[in-house]
Amino acid sequence: MAPTPTAAADGSGLMEMSWDPITRIVGSLGIHTKIDFKQKRVAECYSTSSVFRGYSVFMRGKDPRDAHFITSRICGICGDNHATCSVYAQNMAYGVKPPHLGEWLINLGESAEYMFDHNIFQENLVGVDYCEKMVRETNPGVLELAERTEAPHAGEHGYRTIADIMRSLNPLEGEFYREALQVSRYTREMFCLMEGRHVHPSTLYAGGVGTVASVQLLTDYLTRLMRYVEFMKRVVPLHDDLFDFFYEALPGYEEVGRRRVLLGCWGALNDPEHCDFTYRNMTDWGRKMFVTPGVVVDGKLVTNDLTEINLGIRILLGSSYYQDWEGQEQFVTRDPLGNPVDPRHPWNQHTIPAPQKRNFDDKYSWVMSPRWFDGKDHLALDTGGGPIARLWSTALSGLVDIGYVKATGHSVVINLPKSLTKPETTFEWKIPKWSNALERNRARTYFQAYAAACALHFTEQALAEVRAGRTQTWEKFEVPDESIGCGFTEAVRGVLSHHMVIRDGKIANYHPYPPTPWNASVRDTYGTPGPYEDAVQNTPIFEENSPENFKGIDIMRAVRSFDPCLPCGVHMYVGGGKTVEKMHVPTGLSGLA
Amino acid sequence: MADANSATKSRAAGGPGAAADDQDPIHILWINAGLSCDGDSVSLTAATQPSIEEIALQGLPGLPKIAVHWPLIDFECGPVQGADAFIEWFFKAERGEIDPFVLVVEGSIPNESIKAEGYWCGFGDNPETGQPITTSEWIDRLAPKALAVVAIGTCATYGGIHAMEGNPTGAMGVPDYLGWDWKSQAGIPIVCVPGCPIQPDNFAETLTYLLYQAAGSAPMIPLDDKLRPTWLFGATVHEGCDRAGYYEQGDFATTYDSPKCLVKLGCWGPVVKCNVPKRGWMDGIGGCPNVGGICIACTMPGFPDMFMPFMDEPPGAKVSATASGLYGTVIRRLRGITAKTVDKEPRWRHTGRELTTGYSKPW
């Protein structure tokens, strides 16, 4: 039964609509919006998260060696990224460098995490937004066109038309949907081989891993990896066909979820030949990572220096349920190189929860507002869900060159070797024209191939160590009484940092910053909206439904393209004194839909 | 995955315990908005015995038809004020419009009464006030109407990591919130499947059991005094750990990358109820102490505080490991002698013209 809209006093046509909780993401996220159906645009958007747990609060006073076990529990789909990042921060704080093999095994585990997570999210969560059932319900005209449109790469993926691809993505019934679920399982097996179990690893420690390295371990991994390589040879062209079709079917679709290019990438997958986990050398070993760190503004690389990236991080409040920490004790005034550290830097943050009513004109979320200070402005960087920022940053730096992947300065070339039934294949991700929903999704697919290609390199390196008899994977360490550490990596969804301060051998301060606090951040003290808010505001509406049957698929595609990882909400409203038309939740709904 | 009605057309009728095609489905209402990380939801997608698609599409004989309302992969995603709103199913359940339903809770339950206003965690909005409906309020509204309440993960069962000492939210498990003796209107106690996260098949199996019970083909689910399924949580980690042989021989790892017993490096396996080393993490692969990861006891009510610092030797292990060290050294020496004997082939396996196996040849 259709809901009954109430009459608007002024007939402005603006609708207040909210999606809370949003499905097919991780965590509880609300999006509250005001939509102008006459102009077919989202007028305003607020993102809200309704869960607070307080890791930074309850970690104080605990043994620093517990940090990776605890912080893994921050996230149920990328917890291992936290454990890894925490281990990096601990390695720095304890002054320990794991054996090379230990690092290769962590890289193999983290690569498998990318392969698993991007796959399940892309096909089983985001994919549903583009499936036949959804397109039929939101844009029947587009489905009709899809039925008539031959897929350009049918020879590679086996689906004759675009509509066939869409049908294969239908939940549970779709053949490709079910295959992707299976892929998400064997990639998790690859992960478990290296890190024990998913998603909270059992075999990660500061100083390395407890995984027993053997020929069997690496063979079990490699055979599954090659199945995935073969799978990606079908998936990359399949998604290129699907996403290219949307540009063609709906002229102007590049505006959906579009925002200014403001991308952050903190680098991932260390090279043990260079990484010694010292802060002093961080700039150098940061540039040797297999995913290059970088801040990209308007298409230009601002920096790929991890030390500079670290010092630029600021945590702002403004619309969040916390008391400010101004005037509180500063834990770290200078970094180990003598550079001044800002009071709003995570090393100096105090988390003081202040639960209160939600008010979209004032405080409305448990998420804070991380920003990156470039010397003039507090930039609301986003990660675009991770892959687009990683590929963009790596491409521009032109530093990665391992055969399987090569950064060219304007693109990233991915070379996949011959597999069971498919020949050697090369994909090239080129810097796109826009930072929008479709390009975030496309990058996610290419990065799956990138992660697989890197994993091939890591497997070779690890096997060489094992064959040479260098099977140690863990190094002893002592916990100092006083120390600081920072860890940088790329979680699946983008930038991840952990900042730790140790005093009297205990955790005195610990602040993890995953990608979603950046993406789902809220209006800061300067009034700058967060990336979801910014990307959804002004997003055009292409859906064919009337307001009564409106699903907001374009808004959902915009939000999901960021791969959200917590509760959030959108609120569309008009502002400027105009009356907002509200739609009532129907009370007469009964039976099954 | 929305409701599975459309996907069940071709299910064969008949067979013992098979539900009729026109039967109303059992709804599964899943609240992931406790203090959670969604790790239990994610973990369940890794299950293969059975898999989520096998449960949803009735891939096992006799499973009743179900309609799952699960935020992680639900098809429905319309606006609260419009068509196909996911949250509407929860309001329907509250109004008694869907029956029966099983309530699954993921994440610990914060204490909302320790502060003046606001919320620690909410799930959907109250249309009257525009403020989030707290997760505990949903439990108050839905638990009395549910066929069963299932707590998934150590947070929902016992509080878990978010109920750690020093936490600001006063978090607790569902049995702490509803009462350990609470029973559903169908007489079923709270069903607790602990684990951080849950071992995938452990939960898939428990859910399957409950569906068979709901279909009338299985007796009351057997639970222990901590409300855990007994067939999954009856044995300790150590009893199923393939490194226990090293323990018996008093041979302990001194570095984390050693293949030996990790008990002196922080493994709590001997006193923790969990089946992971025996079962593997998924399809027999992975695990904890069996693959070099100390058991931090993530399935237990005392987790995490009773087991921290995780990387220190458990105090109880000192005594027993010392005893095992004395006894084990002797055993190991004797086994070493035997091992040399059995590592040799018998002397009659050789080339040459003579047969020395003891057979009397007739030729």
Side-chain angles (χ1 to χ4, degrees):
Chain A
M1 192 187 296
T4 324
T6 50
D10 63 352
S12 65
L14 285 161
M15 295 273 185
E16 195 175 278
M17 282 195 164
S18 58
W19 289 256
D20 194 349
I22 290 183
T23 55
R24 283 186 278 111
I25 58 160
V26 175
S28 313
L29 171 78
I31 294 284
H32 292 244
T33 63
K34 293 190 180 180
I35 306 181
D36 183 340
F37 276 101
K38 275 189 188 147
Q39 300 294 316
K40 296 210 141 214
R41 295 197 88 76
V42 180
E44 246 176 272
C45 170
Y46 293 83
S47 153
T48 172
S49 154
S50 49
V51 175
F52 174 76
R53 300 167 304 179
Y55 277 78
S56 297
V57 178
F58 59 69
M59 286 181 75
R60 281 196 301 243
K62 303 297 191 310
D63 191 303
R65 295 170 301 159
D66 289 346
H68 59 287
F69 294 105
I70 298 172
T71 54
S72 181
R73 272 73 188 179
I74 288 173
C75 178
I77 197 162
C78 64
D80 60 289
N81 298 146
H82 283 281
T84 300
C85 197
S86 178
V87 157
Y88 291 168
Q90 290 181 62
N91 288 346
M92 183 182 285
Y94 309 158
V96 62
K97 179 179 164 20
H100 285 197
L101 182 55
E103 284 297 302
W104 294 124
L105 298 193
I106 289 182
N107 285 355
L108 285 168
E110 294 303 280
S111 301
E113 169 65 25
Y114 290 126
M115 290 183 245
F116 144 72
D117 191 333
H118 287 322
N119 164 74
I120 197 171
F121 183 75
Q122 186 86 320
E123 318 305 349
N124 302 120
L125 281 69
V126 161
V128 175
D129 285 339
Y130 300 86
C131 78
E132 181 261 352
K133 190 178 173 197
M134 186 68 78
V135 177
R136 178 157 40 86
E137 290 181 13
T138 54
N139 295 75
V142 170
L143 183 59
E144 247 171 73
L145 181 62
E147 296 283 8
R148 286 182 274 119
T149 307
E150 306 241 325
H153 296 96
E156 280 133 278
H157 53 65
Y159 295 102
R160 194 179 61 82
T161 66
I162 300 296
D164 287 341
I165 296 177
M166 291 174 171
R167 259 185 293 279
S168 76
L169 285 166
N170 280 344
L172 296 174
E173 290 105 327
E175 174 193 33
F176 188 62
Y177 181 99
R178 282 201 309 272
E179 181 184 2
L181 270 177
Q182 282 300 103
V183 173
S184 86
R185 291 172 188 142
Y186 74 69
T187 45
R188 274 180 278 192
E189 291 172 9
M190 291 162 68
F191 177 89
C192 291
L193 286 165
M194 298 300 153
E195 301 195 22
R197 56 192 213 124
H198 191 268
V199 65
H200 304 314
S202 57
T203 59
L204 282 197
Y205 306 98
V209 293
T211 311
V212 177
S214 65
V215 172
Q216 178 188 319
L217 177 84
L218 292 159
T219 313
D220 289 1
Y221 186 96
L222 183 59
T223 49
R224 287 172 176 79
L225 175 59
M226 285 310 294
R227 281 174 216 154
Y228 190 83
V229 164
E230 173 126 329
F231 176 70
M232 288 319 297
K233 290 177 188 171
R234 283 193 284 134
V235 176
V236 174
L238 183 148
H239 281 147
D240 269 339
D241 285 356
L242 181 64
F243 298 137
D244 287 344
F245 169 77
F246 271 83
Y247 285 131
E248 195 186 306
L250 296 165
Y253 214 75
E254 67 273 9
E255 292 304 317
V256 170
R258 184 177 175 186
R259 80 185 289 252
R260 187 182 163 197
V261 180
L262 284 170
L263 296 169
C265 167
W266 294 173
L269 307 168
N270 286 313
D271 187 343
E273 300 288 341
H274 301 278
C275 175
D276 62 4
F277 289 104
T278 62
Y279 189 90
R280 185 165 296 279
N281 299 330
M282 186 163 75
T283 298
D284 295 332
W285 55 256
R287 290 192 173 115
K288 297 289 186 181
M289 286 169 152
F290 295 103
V291 171
T292 316
V295 173
V296 180
V297 175
D298 298 329
K300 298 270 185 316
L301 185 72
V302 174
T303 178
N304 59 14
D305 179 346
L306 259 190
T307 312
E308 198 182 325
I309 285 173
N310 177 44
L311 292 168
I313 300 175
R314 300 284 182 276
I315 309 302
L316 305 185
L317 296 174
S319 307
S320 326
Y321 307 137
Y322 301 90
Q323 273 177 40
D324 202 283
W325 61 90
E326 207 178 317
Q328 300 262 351
E329 173 191 16
Q330 199 171 333
F331 293 96
V332 182
T333 50
R334 304 228 161 232
D335 74 0
L337 290 165
N339 299 306
V341 178
D342 194 84
R344 301 214 70 84
H345 187 274
W347 261 329
N348 292 318
Q349 186 184 334
H350 295 248
T351 298
I352 313 165
Q356 55 196 281
K357 286 208 171 68
R358 189 171 64 195
N359 176 359
F360 288 106
D361 295 324
D362 186 16
K363 310 277 195 274
Y364 58 90
S365 182
W366 277 113
V367 181
M368 297 187 185
S369 301
R371 299 291 185 254
W372 195 75
F373 187 62
D374 67 355
K376 295 194 309 289
D377 298 308
H378 289 85
L379 302 173
L381 297 184
D382 74 79
T383 74
I388 195 171
R390 285 197 281 278
L391 290 170
W392 210 311
S393 166
T394 301
L396 285 178
S397 280
L399 293 172
V400 178
D401 186 3
I402 54 170
Y404 293 115
V405 294
K406 182 176 168 56
T408 64
H410 61 272
S411 72
V412 171
V413 177
I414 302 160
N415 297 305
L416 299 177
K418 177 194 167 299
S419 50
L420 191 65
T421 70
K422 301 225 176 241
E424 189 177 344
T425 306
T426 297
F427 296 119
E428 184 173 15
W429 180 88
K430 296 182 182 127
I431 291 174
K433 280 184 263 183
W434 311 285
S435 176
N436 65 8
L438 288 176
E439 294 308 327
R440 287 179 202 114
N441 293 346
R442 188 198 306 272
R444 187 173 302 115
T445 308
Y446 276 80
F447 193 79
Q448 289 172 247
Y450 187 97
C454 284
L456 287 164
H457 176 68
F458 305 150
T459 309
E460 284 171 7
Q461 299 298 314
L463 266 172
E465 293 289 311
V466 169
R467 286 170 181 151
R470 292 187 293 268
T471 54
Q472 190 191 340
T473 57
W474 182 79
E475 185 63 56
K476 279 197 164 80
F477 58 82
E478 295 288 330
V479 178
D481 279 347
E482 313 282 314
S483 190
I484 60 170
C486 59
F488 287 95
T489 187
E490 279 285 300
V492 174
R493 290 161 183 77
V495 300
L496 175 59
S497 58
H498 279 212
H499 286 86
M500 175 165 73
V501 179
I502 300 174
R503 284 186 186 168
D504 301 324
K506 304 283 183 207
I507 294 173
N509 203 18
Y510 201 110
H511 278 93
Y513 270 94
T516 303
W518 291 81
N519 295 329
S521 72
V522 289
R523 285 161 178 75
D524 62 26
T525 30
Y526 303 98
T528 309
Y532 295 167
E533 300 180 326
D534 182 31
V536 171
Q537 274 179 178
N538 296 318
T539 226
I541 303 289
F542 288 86
E543 187 173 333
E544 294 167 29
N545 286 324
S546 62
E548 291 73 27
N549 296 311
F550 185 67
K551 279 175 181 284
I553 188 63
D554 303 305
I555 295 164
M556 292 298 101
R557 284 183 186 140
V559 172
R560 287 202 187 92
S561 70
F562 286 97
D563 196 347
C565 194
L566 61 90
C568 102
V570 187
H571 189 102
M572 299 187 184
Y573 79 95
V574 240
K578 289 191 201 164
T579 309
V580 174
E581 182 179 4
K582 293 202 179 192
M583 297 178 77
H584 283 194
V585 179
T587 50
L589 283 180
S590 60
L592 301 167
Chain B
M1 65 187 137
D3 78 80
N5 285 353
S6 58
T8 56
K9 286 170 237 146
S10 57
R11 190 172 50 83
D21 260 348
D22 55 357
Q23 191 192 325
D24 282 345
I26 297 174
H27 291 262
I28 296 175
L29 293 178
W30 190 303
I31 295 182
N32 64 333
L35 306 183
S36 98
C37 71
D38 275 21
D40 304 305
S41 280
V42 172
S43 198
L44 182 58
T45 64
T48 55
Q49 304 172 137
S51 67
I52 52 167
E53 53 275 31
E54 282 164 334
I55 298 174
L57 303 178
Q58 295 166 288
L60 300 183
L63 275 186
K65 195 191 291 183
I66 60 167
V68 186
H69 310 285
W70 184 16
L72 183 69
I73 62 169
D74 213 281
F75 176 79
E76 292 178 339
C77 61
V80 176
Q81 299 86 344
D84 303 316
F86 167 79
I87 196 73
E88 185 53 25
W89 290 100
F90 292 76
F91 288 110
K92 280 185 201 177
E94 188 194 359
R95 294 192 298 264
E97 291 166 12
I98 57 172
D99 186 42
F101 70 87
V102 172
L103 179 64
V104 178
V105 180
E106 180 173 3
S108 37
I109 311 305
N111 187 341
E112 299 283 358
S113 47
I114 55 174
K115 55 189 174 14
E117 59 171 7
Y119 49 91
W120 296 119
C121 71
F123 188 63
D125 294 338
N126 183 334
E128 307 289 314
T129 61
Q131 294 295 314
I133 300 172
T134 61
T135 299
S136 38
E137 193 180 336
W138 274 119
I139 295 176
D140 295 343
R141 293 180 185 194
L142 297 179
K145 296 190 163 78
L147 177 72
V149 173
V150 181
I152 179 171
T154 302
C155 284
T157 54
Y158 311 125
I161 207 108
H162 306 126
M164 191 187 290
E165 183 182 22
N167 80 76
T169 60
M172 66 194 93
V174 174
D176 298 323
Y177 184 76
L178 282 176
W180 283 81
D181 296 327
W182 185 91
K183 284 197 171 56
S184 74
Q185 45 149 348
I188 306 174
I190 300 165
V191 177
C192 287
V193 184
C196 191
I198 48 121
Q199 198 275 3
D201 292 333
N202 280 356
F203 190 82
E205 212 169 279
T206 306
L207 187 60
T208 307
Y209 188 101
L210 284 170
L211 292 173
Y212 277 130
Q213 186 181 334
S217 48
M220 178 63 75
I221 184 167
L223 305 174
D224 70 11
D225 65 331
K226 296 294 181 290
L227 306 173
R228 298 170 281 218
T230 51
W231 77 92
L232 294 169
F233 293 94
T236 65
V237 165
H238 192 62
E239 286 160 352
C241 183
D242 62 8
R243 292 184 176 200
Y246 288 103
Y247 184 102
E248 185 202 16
Q249 293 172 178
D251 203 356
F252 300 105
T254 54
T255 61
Y256 286 93
D257 55 358
S258 159
K260 297 177 181 175
C261 175
L262 295 164
V263 77
K264 284 181 160 303
L265 296 177
C267 182
W268 282 81
V271 294
V272 171
K273 291 186 173 177
C274 174
N275 61 357
V276 162
K278 182 91 173 168
R279 186 165 212 178
W281 190 254
M282 40 191 304
D283 275 341
I285 289 171
C288 297
N290 56 320
V291 294
I294 51 170
C295 171
I296 61 170
C298 73
T299 56
M300 298 295 280
F303 178 76
D305 305 270
M306 313 283 275
F307 307 97
M308 290 163 68
F310 296 125
M311 288 169 74
D312 281 354
E313 183 181 6
K318 284 206 173 84
V319 182
S320 49
T322 309
S324 160
L326 296 171
Y327 158 86
T329 314
V330 181
I331 293 290
R332 207 183 332 158
R333 195 162 300 137
L334 294 172
R335 279 186 187 153
I337 296 166
T338 315
K340 277 210 180 93
T341 330
V342 297
D343 209 18
K344 277 190 286 211
E345 286 185 56
R347 61 183 186 284
W348 56 81
R349 295 178 195 164
H350 54 76
T351 55
R353 300 187 58 83
E354 204 182 342
L355 177 70
T356 59
T357 65
Y359 179 73
S360 323
K361 42 184 187 176
W363 60 86

